[in-house]
Amino acid sequence: MQHHGVTIAGTGSYVPARVLTNHDLAKMVETSDDWIRTRTGIEERHIAAADEPTSALAYEAACRALDAAGMKAEELDYILVATFTGDNIFPNTGCYLQKRLGAFNAAAVSIEAACTGFLYGLELAANLIRSGNYRNILLVGAEKISSLVDWTDRNTCVLFGDGAGAVVLKQTTPGHDCLKSVKLGADGRYTDLLRTAAGGSMKPLTVEDVASHQNCIKMEGREVFKLAVNAMVGSSRAVMEKAGITHDDIRWVIPHQANLRIISSVGKYLEVPEDKVYINIQRYGNTSAASIPIALDEIVRSGQVKRGEYLLLTAFGAGLTWGASVIKW
Ligand code: COA
């Protein structure tokens, strides 16, 4: 029996209104606009308001994606939110988003694969549709990373931003599947490179932990950098081979936006010209699971991809986790 096909019926994205520039950060920690720009490519990032949790960002992106798909929230039968900065530890952020949308015919869940979350979610959602059990799935990558940033740690606070990106995936006829290939990976030996040190069941939060910011993001930046390039290049090569295409066939590489130098290295190793590697890190910083769907939405809305063209998505993040996917638009 042939599986059902999957198509992306609509995209949407949202970033909160408040902009935090490198110059603003230079007033908060010992850093400079020049250091941040040259080491990361980031110029500014958006920061959510106090009363704007991750599900509020996800909601705005989801409404735009539903609108683009010409679909009502009641038509959704599954909501999947990729995030590591959920509204609460539980219940899952999918349920908070479901409530905001009024999408009460949908199952709702969240997954956590940090910056690779959108790609993990994409494969899950596609297979739920292929199984025939679901027809209309909302997949959102949404993060309020500012809620986990240690604003006294210059090694990490300059890197991250808040935002959300969404896609509506729809069942289509067998043989017409836009998701040509996916390759995901993980290596739990590197859990300590990028993490929070307290606030989970391993080390429930104490007053001392809060005072010393143990509940905030900790990172070994240099180690992560090295592993990231290899992981993204390896998985990208694997998905191109699986899809039966080469780098010449790619219209856009859409890399997770963590560091401009990482993105440039990935482009070079993959032999994709610079003007085919999508970059918006200067405006948003690293928005983790939201970064790829925000970039995808920008490309789609500005008419920079035509039906039938190939997109190569690739990401890496805490876990470590990584992955890539080829989409035929
Ligand atoms: N402003 C000024 N100086 C800073 C700084 C900042 N914001 N952050 C760190 N520094 C300092 C360091 O303390 C270090 O000083 P030292 O040599 O006196 O110890 C110096 O700059 C160089 O640090 P280094 O770690 O070598 O810089 P780098 O070139 O590796 O860049 C990162 C640091 C974090 C930008 C880079 O390693 C990176 O992007 N790594 C990947 C991180 C990532 O993407 N994480 C998310 C994964 S999804």
Side-chain angles (χ1 to χ4, degrees), residues 260-321:
L260 185 57
R261 291 183 293 145
I262 294 177
I263 295 171
S264 303
S265 302
V266 169
K268 278 197 194 94
Y269 282 116
L270 294 178
E271 297 174 66
V272 175
E274 273 175 29
D275 61 354
K276 290 186 173 178
V277 179
Y278 195 78
I279 293 166
N280 62 11
I281 191 171
Q282 63 279 10
R283 287 179 282 139
Y284 305 128
N286 179 348
T287 58
S288 189
S291 93
I292 288 181
I294 290 174
L296 177 64
D297 183 50
E298 288 185 347
I299 288 171
V300 171
R301 280 176 193 264
S302 57
Q304 294 184 77
V305 60
K306 291 202 254 328
R307 286 285 160 200
E309 289 182 330
Y310 287 101
L311 304 173
L312 170 65
L313 282 44
T314 184
F316 74 97
L320 293 179
T321 55

Side-chain angles (χ1 to χ4, degrees), residues 20 22 25 36 40 42 44-47 84-85 114-115 143-151 153-163 194-195 216-219 224 256-258 281 283-289 317-318:
L20 185 72
N22 292 347
L25 277 164
I36 303 171
T40 73
I42 301 165
E44 58 188 34
R45 69 289 289 141
H46 291 250
I47 303 293
F84 78 102
T85 53
C115 304
E143 305 281 10
K144 184 175 178 177
I145 308 181
S146 60
S147 64
L148 280 186
V149 164
D150 177 350
W151 293 103
D153 176 12
R154 69 175 183 176
N155 290 296
T156 53
C157 75
V158 302
L159 301 176
F160 299 99
D162 301 336
L194 184 50
R195 63 184 174 127
C216 296
I217 296 172
K218 312 272 171 216
M219 183 180 70
V224 174
H256 168 50
Q257 312 281 315
I281 191 171
R283 287 179 282 139
Y284 305 128
N286 179 348
T287 58
S288 189

